[in-house]
PDB file of all heavy atoms in Angstrom:
ATOM      1  N   THR A   1     -11.335  -3.017   3.539  1.00  0.00           N
ATOM      2  CA  THR A   1     -10.635  -1.752   3.343  1.00  0.00           C
ATOM      3  C   THR A   1      -9.136  -1.924   3.529  1.00  0.00           C
ATOM      4  O   THR A   1      -8.330  -1.395   2.751  1.00  0.00           O
ATOM      5  CB  THR A   1     -11.163  -0.685   4.321  1.00  0.00           C
ATOM      6  OG1 THR A   1     -12.582  -0.596   4.211  1.00  0.00           O
ATOM      7  CG2 THR A   1     -10.565   0.672   4.015  1.00  0.00           C
ATOM      8  N   ILE A   2      -8.746  -2.693   4.543  1.00  0.00           N
ATOM      9  CA  ILE A   2      -7.323  -2.946   4.780  1.00  0.00           C
ATOM     10  C   ILE A   2      -6.722  -3.743   3.630  1.00  0.00           C
ATOM     11  O   ILE A   2      -5.622  -3.447   3.149  1.00  0.00           O
ATOM     12  CB  ILE A   2      -7.131  -3.677   6.121  1.00  0.00           C
ATOM     13  CG1 ILE A   2      -7.444  -2.732   7.287  1.00  0.00           C
ATOM     14  CG2 ILE A   2      -5.714  -4.239   6.249  1.00  0.00           C
ATOM     15  CD1 ILE A   2      -7.402  -3.384   8.650  1.00  0.00           C
ATOM     16  N   ILE A   3      -7.451  -4.763   3.176  1.00  0.00           N
ATOM     17  CA  ILE A   3      -6.954  -5.578   2.062  1.00  0.00           C
ATOM     18  C   ILE A   3      -6.825  -4.734   0.805  1.00  0.00           C
ATOM     19  O   ILE A   3      -5.847  -4.868   0.046  1.00  0.00           O
ATOM     20  CB  ILE A   3      -7.880  -6.774   1.822  1.00  0.00           C
ATOM     21  CG1 ILE A   3      -7.873  -7.711   3.033  1.00  0.00           C
ATOM     22  CG2 ILE A   3      -7.469  -7.547   0.569  1.00  0.00           C
ATOM     23  CD1 ILE A   3      -8.886  -8.837   2.959  1.00  0.00           C
ATOM     24  N   ASP A   4      -7.783  -3.844   0.577  1.00  0.00           N
ATOM     25  CA  ASP A   4      -7.728  -2.975  -0.604  1.00  0.00           C
ATOM     26  C   ASP A   4      -6.522  -2.048  -0.553  1.00  0.00           C
ATOM     27  O   ASP A   4      -5.916  -1.755  -1.588  1.00  0.00           O
ATOM     28  CB  ASP A   4      -9.007  -2.142  -0.711  1.00  0.00           C
ATOM     29  CG  ASP A   4     -10.184  -2.944  -1.253  1.00  0.00           C
ATOM     30  OD1 ASP A   4      -9.937  -3.988  -1.888  1.00  0.00           O
ATOM     31  OD2 ASP A   4     -11.340  -2.530  -1.039  1.00  0.00           O
ATOM     32  N   VAL A   5      -6.188  -1.576   0.639  1.00  0.00           N
ATOM     33  CA  VAL A   5      -5.010  -0.711   0.790  1.00  0.00           C
ATOM     34  C   VAL A   5      -3.748  -1.474   0.385  1.00  0.00           C
ATOM     35  O   VAL A   5      -2.900  -0.963  -0.350  1.00  0.00           O
ATOM     36  CB  VAL A   5      -4.886  -0.200   2.243  1.00  0.00           C
ATOM     37  CG1 VAL A   5      -3.490   0.362   2.514  1.00  0.00           C
ATOM     38  CG2 VAL A   5      -5.941   0.862   2.511  1.00  0.00           C
ATOM     39  N   PHE A   6      -3.626  -2.717   0.857  1.00  0.00           N
ATOM     40  CA  PHE A   6      -2.447  -3.516   0.501  1.00  0.00           C
ATOM     41  C   PHE A   6      -2.432  -3.808  -0.997  1.00  0.00           C
ATOM     42  O   PHE A   6      -1.398  -3.659  -1.666  1.00  0.00           O
ATOM     43  CB  PHE A   6      -2.426  -4.823   1.290  1.00  0.00           C
ATOM     44  CG  PHE A   6      -1.203  -5.660   1.015  1.00  0.00           C
ATOM     45  CD1 PHE A   6      -0.031  -5.438   1.727  1.00  0.00           C
ATOM     46  CD2 PHE A   6      -1.215  -6.642   0.041  1.00  0.00           C
ATOM     47  CE1 PHE A   6       1.111  -6.195   1.466  1.00  0.00           C
ATOM     48  CE2 PHE A   6      -0.081  -7.404  -0.232  1.00  0.00           C
ATOM     49  CZ  PHE A   6       1.089  -7.172   0.484  1.00  0.00           C
ATOM     50  N   LYS A   7      -3.573  -4.214  -1.537  1.00  0.00           N
ATOM     51  CA  LYS A   7      -3.655  -4.586  -2.949  1.00  0.00           C
ATOM     52  C   LYS A   7      -3.372  -3.390  -3.870  1.00  0.00           C
ATOM     53  O   LYS A   7      -2.565  -3.483  -4.809  1.00  0.00           O
ATOM     54  CB  LYS A   7      -5.047  -5.150  -3.237  1.00  0.00           C
ATOM     55  CG  LYS A   7      -5.455  -5.250  -4.695  1.00  0.00           C
ATOM     56  CD  LYS A   7      -4.666  -6.270  -5.486  1.00  0.00           C
ATOM     57  CE  LYS A   7      -5.271  -6.512  -6.863  1.00  0.00           C
ATOM     58  NZ  LYS A   7      -5.465  -5.311  -7.679  1.00  0.00           N
ATOM     59  N   SER A   8      -4.023  -2.263  -3.626  1.00  0.00           N
ATOM     60  CA  SER A   8      -3.826  -1.094  -4.490  1.00  0.00           C
ATOM     61  C   SER A   8      -2.413  -0.543  -4.362  1.00  0.00           C
ATOM     62  O   SER A   8      -1.808  -0.109  -5.353  1.00  0.00           O
ATOM     63  CB  SER A   8      -4.853  -0.011  -4.164  1.00  0.00           C
ATOM     64  OG  SER A   8      -4.742   0.415  -2.815  1.00  0.00           O
ATOM     65  N   GLY A   9      -1.874  -0.585  -3.143  1.00  0.00           N
ATOM     66  CA  GLY A   9      -0.490  -0.138  -2.956  1.00  0.00           C
ATOM     67  C   GLY A   9       0.486  -1.053  -3.657  1.00  0.00           C
ATOM     68  O   GLY A   9       1.452  -0.597  -4.289  1.00  0.00           O
ATOM     69  N   ALA A  10       0.239  -2.357  -3.566  1.00  0.00           N
ATOM     70  CA  ALA A  10       1.112  -3.326  -4.237  1.00  0.00           C
ATOM     71  C   ALA A  10       1.067  -3.145  -5.752  1.00  0.00           C
ATOM     72  O   ALA A  10       2.081  -3.311  -6.439  1.00  0.00           O
ATOM     73  CB  ALA A  10       0.677  -4.748  -3.863  1.00  0.00           C
ATOM     74  N   ASP A  11      -0.100  -2.791  -6.289  1.00  0.00           N
ATOM     75  CA  ASP A  11      -0.220  -2.562  -7.734  1.00  0.00           C
ATOM     76  C   ASP A  11       0.686  -1.428  -8.193  1.00  0.00           C
ATOM     77  O   ASP A  11       1.251  -1.477  -9.295  1.00  0.00           O
ATOM     78  CB  ASP A  11      -1.671  -2.239  -8.104  1.00  0.00           C
ATOM     79  CG  ASP A  11      -2.567  -3.466  -8.071  1.00  0.00           C
ATOM     80  OD1 ASP A  11      -2.031  -4.594  -8.028  1.00  0.00           O
ATOM     81  OD2 ASP A  11      -3.800  -3.292  -8.079  1.00  0.00           O
ATOM     82  N   GLU A  12       0.808  -0.411  -7.358  1.00  0.00           N
ATOM     83  CA  GLU A  12       1.694   0.708  -7.697  1.00  0.00           C
ATOM     84  C   GLU A  12       3.130   0.220  -7.883  1.00  0.00           C
ATOM     85  O   GLU A  12       3.847   0.686  -8.768  1.00  0.00           O
ATOM     86  CB  GLU A  12       1.646   1.767  -6.592  1.00  0.00           C
ATOM     87  CG  GLU A  12       0.314   2.477  -6.438  1.00  0.00           C
ATOM     88  CD  GLU A  12       0.016   3.401  -7.603  1.00  0.00           C
ATOM     89  OE1 GLU A  12       0.835   4.293  -7.876  1.00  0.00           O
ATOM     90  OE2 GLU A  12      -1.044   3.213  -8.243  1.00  0.00           O
ATOM     91  N   TYR A  13       3.510  -0.725  -7.060  1.00  0.00           N
ATOM     92  CA  TYR A  13       4.860  -1.309  -7.147  1.00  0.00           C
ATOM     93  C   TYR A  13       4.957  -2.295  -8.309  1.00  0.00           C
ATOM     94  O   TYR A  13       5.921  -2.274  -9.083  1.00  0.00           O
ATOM     95  CB  TYR A  13       5.196  -1.983  -5.817  1.00  0.00           C
ATOM     96  CG  TYR A  13       6.438  -2.839  -5.832  1.00  0.00           C
ATOM     97  CD1 TYR A  13       7.646  -2.362  -6.330  1.00  0.00           C
ATOM     98  CD2 TYR A  13       6.413  -4.140  -5.309  1.00  0.00           C
ATOM     99  CE1 TYR A  13       8.796  -3.152  -6.331  1.00  0.00           C
ATOM    100  CE2 TYR A  13       7.548  -4.931  -5.306  1.00  0.00           C
ATOM    101  CZ  TYR A  13       8.731  -4.437  -5.821  1.00  0.00           C
ATOM    102  OH  TYR A  13       9.852  -5.222  -5.824  1.00  0.00           O
ATOM    103  N   LEU A  14       3.944  -3.136  -8.480  1.00  0.00           N
ATOM    104  CA  LEU A  14       3.969  -4.143  -9.535  1.00  0.00           C
ATOM    105  C   LEU A  14       4.058  -3.520 -10.920  1.00  0.00           C
ATOM    106  O   LEU A  14       4.726  -4.053 -11.815  1.00  0.00           O
ATOM    107  CB  LEU A  14       2.712  -5.021  -9.463  1.00  0.00           C
ATOM    108  CG  LEU A  14       2.578  -5.970  -8.268  1.00  0.00           C
ATOM    109  CD1 LEU A  14       1.236  -6.680  -8.314  1.00  0.00           C
ATOM    110  CD2 LEU A  14       3.707  -6.994  -8.271  1.00  0.00           C
ATOM    111  N   TYR A  15       3.384  -2.378 -11.086  1.00  0.00           N
ATOM    112  CA  TYR A  15       3.373  -1.721 -12.400  1.00  0.00           C
ATOM    113  C   TYR A  15       4.370  -0.568 -12.473  1.00  0.00           C
ATOM    114  O   TYR A  15       4.254   0.312 -13.323  1.00  0.00           O
ATOM    115  CB  TYR A  15       1.961  -1.248 -12.727  1.00  0.00           C
ATOM    116  CG  TYR A  15       0.984  -2.408 -12.838  1.00  0.00           C
ATOM    117  CD1 TYR A  15       0.022  -2.618 -11.858  1.00  0.00           C
ATOM    118  CD2 TYR A  15       1.065  -3.311 -13.887  1.00  0.00           C
ATOM    119  CE1 TYR A  15      -0.860  -3.703 -11.940  1.00  0.00           C
ATOM    120  CE2 TYR A  15       0.192  -4.396 -13.974  1.00  0.00           C
ATOM    121  CZ  TYR A  15      -0.766  -4.582 -12.998  1.00  0.00           C
ATOM    122  OH  TYR A  15      -1.618  -5.648 -13.090  1.00  0.00           O
ATOM    123  N   ASP A  16       5.341  -0.600 -11.544  1.00  0.00           N
ATOM    124  CA  ASP A  16       6.478   0.343 -11.554  1.00  0.00           C
ATOM    125  C   ASP A  16       6.060   1.813 -11.512  1.00  0.00           C
ATOM    126  O   ASP A  16       6.724   2.683 -12.083  1.00  0.00           O
ATOM    127  CB  ASP A  16       7.354   0.091 -12.791  1.00  0.00           C
ATOM    128  CG  ASP A  16       7.976  -1.299 -12.790  1.00  0.00           C
ATOM    129  OD1 ASP A  16       8.414  -1.733 -11.710  1.00  0.00           O
ATOM    130  OD2 ASP A  16       7.994  -1.943 -13.848  1.00  0.00           O
ATOM    131  N   LYS A  17       4.977   2.095 -10.809  1.00  0.00           N
ATOM    132  CA  LYS A  17       4.553   3.484 -10.637  1.00  0.00           C
ATOM    133  C   LYS A  17       5.196   4.105  -9.407  1.00  0.00           C
ATOM    134  O   LYS A  17       5.263   5.327  -9.281  1.00  0.00           O
ATOM    135  CB  LYS A  17       3.030   3.557 -10.525  1.00  0.00           C
ATOM    136  CG  LYS A  17       2.303   3.182 -11.811  1.00  0.00           C
ATOM    137  CD  LYS A  17       0.799   3.325 -11.649  1.00  0.00           C
ATOM    138  CE  LYS A  17       0.072   2.982 -12.949  1.00  0.00           C
ATOM    139  NZ  LYS A  17      -1.405   3.108 -12.807  1.00  0.00           N
ATOM    140  N   GLN A  18       5.610   3.229  -8.469  1.00  0.00           N
ATOM    141  CA  GLN A  18       6.296   3.679  -7.268  1.00  0.00           C
ATOM    142  C   GLN A  18       7.352   2.648  -6.895  1.00  0.00           C
ATOM    143  O   GLN A  18       7.242   1.472  -7.266  1.00  0.00           O
ATOM    144  CB  GLN A  18       5.323   3.826  -6.087  1.00  0.00           C
ATOM    145  CG  GLN A  18       4.630   5.167  -6.003  1.00  0.00           C
ATOM    146  CD  GLN A  18       3.885   5.319  -4.674  1.00  0.00           C
ATOM    147  OE1 GLN A  18       3.195   4.423  -4.224  1.00  0.00           O
ATOM    148  NE2 GLN A  18       4.040   6.479  -4.043  1.00  0.00           N
ATOM    149  N   SER A  19       8.325   3.080  -6.142  1.00  0.00           N
ATOM    150  CA  SER A  19       9.335   2.138  -5.667  1.00  0.00           C
ATOM    151  C   SER A  19       8.741   1.271  -4.564  1.00  0.00           C
ATOM    152  O   SER A  19       7.724   1.625  -3.954  1.00  0.00           O
ATOM    153  CB  SER A  19      10.548   2.900  -5.118  1.00  0.00           C
ATOM    154  OG  SER A  19      10.197   3.596  -3.923  1.00  0.00           O
ATOM    155  N   ALA A  20       9.385   0.147  -4.316  1.00  0.00           N
ATOM    156  CA  ALA A  20       8.919  -0.751  -3.268  1.00  0.00           C
ATOM    157  C   ALA A  20       8.908  -0.041  -1.915  1.00  0.00           C
ATOM    158  O   ALA A  20       7.982  -0.192  -1.117  1.00  0.00           O
ATOM    159  CB  ALA A  20       9.792  -2.000  -3.215  1.00  0.00           C
ATOM    160  N   GLY A  21       9.956   0.757  -1.675  1.00  0.00           N
ATOM    161  CA  GLY A  21      10.062   1.466  -0.404  1.00  0.00           C
ATOM    162  C   GLY A  21       8.951   2.479  -0.203  1.00  0.00           C
ATOM    163  O   GLY A  21       8.359   2.569   0.884  1.00  0.00           O
ATOM    164  N   ASP A  22       8.657   3.258  -1.239  1.00  0.00           N
ATOM    165  CA  ASP A  22       7.596   4.263  -1.137  1.00  0.00           C
ATOM    166  C   ASP A  22       6.233   3.598  -0.946  1.00  0.00           C
ATOM    167  O   ASP A  22       5.399   4.068  -0.165  1.00  0.00           O
ATOM    168  CB  ASP A  22       7.585   5.135  -2.402  1.00  0.00           C
ATOM    169  CG  ASP A  22       8.761   6.098  -2.455  1.00  0.00           C
ATOM    170  OD1 ASP A  22       9.381   6.323  -1.402  1.00  0.00           O
ATOM    171  OD2 ASP A  22       9.047   6.614  -3.553  1.00  0.00           O
ATOM    172  N   CYS A  23       6.017   2.499  -1.662  1.00  0.00           N
ATOM    173  CA  CYS A  23       4.747   1.777  -1.524  1.00  0.00           C
ATOM    174  C   CYS A  23       4.598   1.208  -0.119  1.00  0.00           C
ATOM    175  O   CYS A  23       3.531   1.290   0.486  1.00  0.00           O
ATOM    176  CB  CYS A  23       4.667   0.639  -2.548  1.00  0.00           C
ATOM    177  SG  CYS A  23       4.251   1.189  -4.209  1.00  0.00           S
ATOM    178  N   ALA A  24       5.665   0.628   0.385  1.00  0.00           N
ATOM    179  CA  ALA A  24       5.629   0.044   1.723  1.00  0.00           C
ATOM    180  C   ALA A  24       5.319   1.106   2.768  1.00  0.00           C
ATOM    181  O   ALA A  24       4.517   0.873   3.692  1.00  0.00           O
ATOM    182  CB  ALA A  24       6.955  -0.633   2.035  1.00  0.00           C
ATOM    183  N   LYS A  25       5.919   2.270   2.620  1.00  0.00           N
ATOM    184  CA  LYS A  25       5.682   3.360   3.570  1.00  0.00           C
ATOM    185  C   LYS A  25       4.222   3.797   3.540  1.00  0.00           C
ATOM    186  O   LYS A  25       3.597   3.986   4.593  1.00  0.00           O
ATOM    187  CB  LYS A  25       6.591   4.540   3.226  1.00  0.00           C
ATOM    188  CG  LYS A  25       6.470   5.709   4.193  1.00  0.00           C
ATOM    189  CD  LYS A  25       7.461   6.807   3.837  1.00  0.00           C
ATOM    190  CE  LYS A  25       7.373   7.971   4.830  1.00  0.00           C
ATOM    191  NZ  LYS A  25       8.359   9.045   4.504  1.00  0.00           N
ATOM    192  N   SER A  26       3.686   3.962   2.328  1.00  0.00           N
ATOM    193  CA  SER A  26       2.303   4.394   2.181  1.00  0.00           C
ATOM    194  C   SER A  26       1.328   3.343   2.729  1.00  0.00           C
ATOM    195  O   SER A  26       0.392   3.660   3.465  1.00  0.00           O
ATOM    196  CB  SER A  26       2.000   4.665   0.706  1.00  0.00           C
ATOM    197  OG  SER A  26       0.643   4.986   0.519  1.00  0.00           O
ATOM    198  N   ILE A  27       1.558   2.090   2.358  1.00  0.00           N
ATOM    199  CA  ILE A  27       0.686   1.002   2.815  1.00  0.00           C
ATOM    200  C   ILE A  27       0.716   0.883   4.333  1.00  0.00           C
ATOM    201  O   ILE A  27      -0.324   0.752   4.982  1.00  0.00           O
ATOM    202  CB  ILE A  27       1.102  -0.335   2.176  1.00  0.00           C
ATOM    203  CG1 ILE A  27       0.807  -0.322   0.671  1.00  0.00           C
ATOM    204  CG2 ILE A  27       0.379  -1.514   2.833  1.00  0.00           C
ATOM    205  CD1 ILE A  27       1.377  -1.510  -0.073  1.00  0.00           C
ATOM    206  N   TYR A  28       1.901   0.937   4.883  1.00  0.00           N
ATOM    207  CA  TYR A  28       2.049   0.798   6.333  1.00  0.00           C
ATOM    208  C   TYR A  28       1.269   1.886   7.080  1.00  0.00           C
ATOM    209  O   TYR A  28       0.521   1.595   8.030  1.00  0.00           O
ATOM    210  CB  TYR A  28       3.525   0.863   6.721  1.00  0.00           C
ATOM    211  CG  TYR A  28       3.749   0.915   8.219  1.00  0.00           C
ATOM    212  CD1 TYR A  28       3.537  -0.208   9.011  1.00  0.00           C
ATOM    213  CD2 TYR A  28       4.145   2.105   8.838  1.00  0.00           C
ATOM    214  CE1 TYR A  28       3.718  -0.154  10.385  1.00  0.00           C
ATOM    215  CE2 TYR A  28       4.338   2.160  10.211  1.00  0.00           C
ATOM    216  CZ  TYR A  28       4.119   1.032  10.984  1.00  0.00           C
ATOM    217  OH  TYR A  28       4.292   1.089  12.334  1.00  0.00           O
ATOM    218  N   GLY A  29       1.402   3.142   6.634  1.00  0.00           N
ATOM    219  CA  GLY A  29       0.717   4.243   7.301  1.00  0.00           C
ATOM    220  C   GLY A  29      -0.796   4.090   7.267  1.00  0.00           C
ATOM    221  O   GLY A  29      -1.478   4.272   8.284  1.00  0.00           O
ATOM    222  N   GLU A  30      -1.327   3.724   6.097  1.00  0.00           N
ATOM    223  CA  GLU A  30      -2.783   3.584   5.961  1.00  0.00           C
ATOM    224  C   GLU A  30      -3.304   2.370   6.730  1.00  0.00           C
ATOM    225  O   GLU A  30      -4.341   2.441   7.396  1.00  0.00           O
ATOM    226  CB  GLU A  30      -3.157   3.480   4.488  1.00  0.00           C
ATOM    227  CG  GLU A  30      -2.967   4.776   3.705  1.00  0.00           C
ATOM    228  CD  GLU A  30      -3.529   4.674   2.296  1.00  0.00           C
ATOM    229  OE1 GLU A  30      -4.744   4.441   2.178  1.00  0.00           O
ATOM    230  OE2 GLU A  30      -2.750   4.801   1.330  1.00  0.00           O
ATOM    231  N   MET A  31      -2.591   1.250   6.622  1.00  0.00           N
ATOM    232  CA  MET A  31      -3.034   0.046   7.314  1.00  0.00           C
ATOM    233  C   MET A  31      -3.014   0.225   8.822  1.00  0.00           C
ATOM    234  O   MET A  31      -3.913  -0.239   9.532  1.00  0.00           O
ATOM    235  CB  MET A  31      -2.163  -1.152   6.921  1.00  0.00           C
ATOM    236  CG  MET A  31      -2.512  -1.747   5.570  1.00  0.00           C
ATOM    237  SD  MET A  31      -1.456  -3.159   5.097  1.00  0.00           S
ATOM    238  CE  MET A  31      -1.750  -4.302   6.443  1.00  0.00           C
ATOM    239  N   LYS A  32      -2.018   0.929   9.327  1.00  0.00           N
ATOM    240  CA  LYS A  32      -1.907   1.141  10.768  1.00  0.00           C
ATOM    241  C   LYS A  32      -3.097   1.951  11.292  1.00  0.00           C
ATOM    242  O   LYS A  32      -3.683   1.623  12.330  1.00  0.00           O
ATOM    243  CB  LYS A  32      -0.608   1.852  11.096  1.00  0.00           C
ATOM    244  CG  LYS A  32      -0.333   1.995  12.588  1.00  0.00           C
ATOM    245  CD  LYS A  32       1.044   2.588  12.859  1.00  0.00           C
ATOM    246  CE  LYS A  32       1.319   2.673  14.352  1.00  0.00           C
ATOM    247  NZ  LYS A  32       2.656   3.252  14.633  1.00  0.00           N
ATOM    248  N   LYS A  33      -3.465   2.984  10.546  1.00  0.00           N
ATOM    249  CA  LYS A  33      -4.604   3.829  10.958  1.00  0.00           C
ATOM    250  C   LYS A  33      -5.908   3.022  10.905  1.00  0.00           C
ATOM    251  O   LYS A  33      -6.730   3.099  11.828  1.00  0.00           O
ATOM    252  CB  LYS A  33      -4.705   5.052  10.050  1.00  0.00           C
ATOM    253  CG  LYS A  33      -3.590   6.068  10.232  1.00  0.00           C
ATOM    254  CD  LYS A  33      -3.765   7.215   9.246  1.00  0.00           C
ATOM    255  CE  LYS A  33      -2.609   8.215   9.366  1.00  0.00           C
ATOM    256  NZ  LYS A  33      -2.729   9.314   8.354  1.00  0.00           N
ATOM    257  N   LEU A  34      -6.094   2.296   9.818  1.00  0.00           N
ATOM    258  CA  LEU A  34      -7.326   1.533   9.666  1.00  0.00           C
ATOM    259  C   LEU A  34      -7.451   0.439  10.724  1.00  0.00           C
ATOM    260  O   LEU A  34      -8.527   0.234  11.287  1.00  0.00           O
ATOM    261  CB  LEU A  34      -7.381   0.895   8.271  1.00  0.00           C
ATOM    262  CG  LEU A  34      -7.644   1.862   7.116  1.00  0.00           C
ATOM    263  CD1 LEU A  34      -7.370   1.177   5.787  1.00  0.00           C
ATOM    264  CD2 LEU A  34      -9.085   2.364   7.167  1.00  0.00           C
ATOM    265  N   ALA A  35      -6.357  -0.250  10.989  1.00  0.00           N
ATOM    266  CA  ALA A  35      -6.386  -1.329  11.977  1.00  0.00           C
ATOM    267  C   ALA A  35      -6.669  -0.780  13.372  1.00  0.00           C
ATOM    268  O   ALA A  35      -7.429  -1.372  14.143  1.00  0.00           O
ATOM    269  CB  ALA A  35      -5.066  -2.098  11.967  1.00  0.00           C
ATOM    270  N   ALA A  36      -6.123   0.363  13.693  1.00  0.00           N
ATOM    271  CA  ALA A  36      -6.380   0.974  14.996  1.00  0.00           C
ATOM    272  C   ALA A  36      -7.803   1.490  15.066  1.00  0.00           C
ATOM    273  O   ALA A  36      -8.470   1.389  16.105  1.00  0.00           O
ATOM    274  CB  ALA A  36      -5.400   2.116  15.230  1.00  0.00           C
ATOM    275  N   GLY A  37      -8.294   2.013  13.941  1.00  0.00           N
ATOM    276  CA  GLY A  37      -9.647   2.558  13.894  1.00  0.00           C
ATOM    277  C   GLY A  37     -10.709   1.520  14.132  1.00  0.00           C
ATOM    278  O   GLY A  37     -11.788   1.819  14.650  1.00  0.00           O
TER     279      GLY A  37
END
């Protein structure tokens, strides 16, 4: 699940659907919750 969050978020950046900064923010928030969970 954590890997999927990074991969799907990175795809948003790779295909120019989101900026690197927005993707990083989204990925960080989700990964932090999942890792703590």
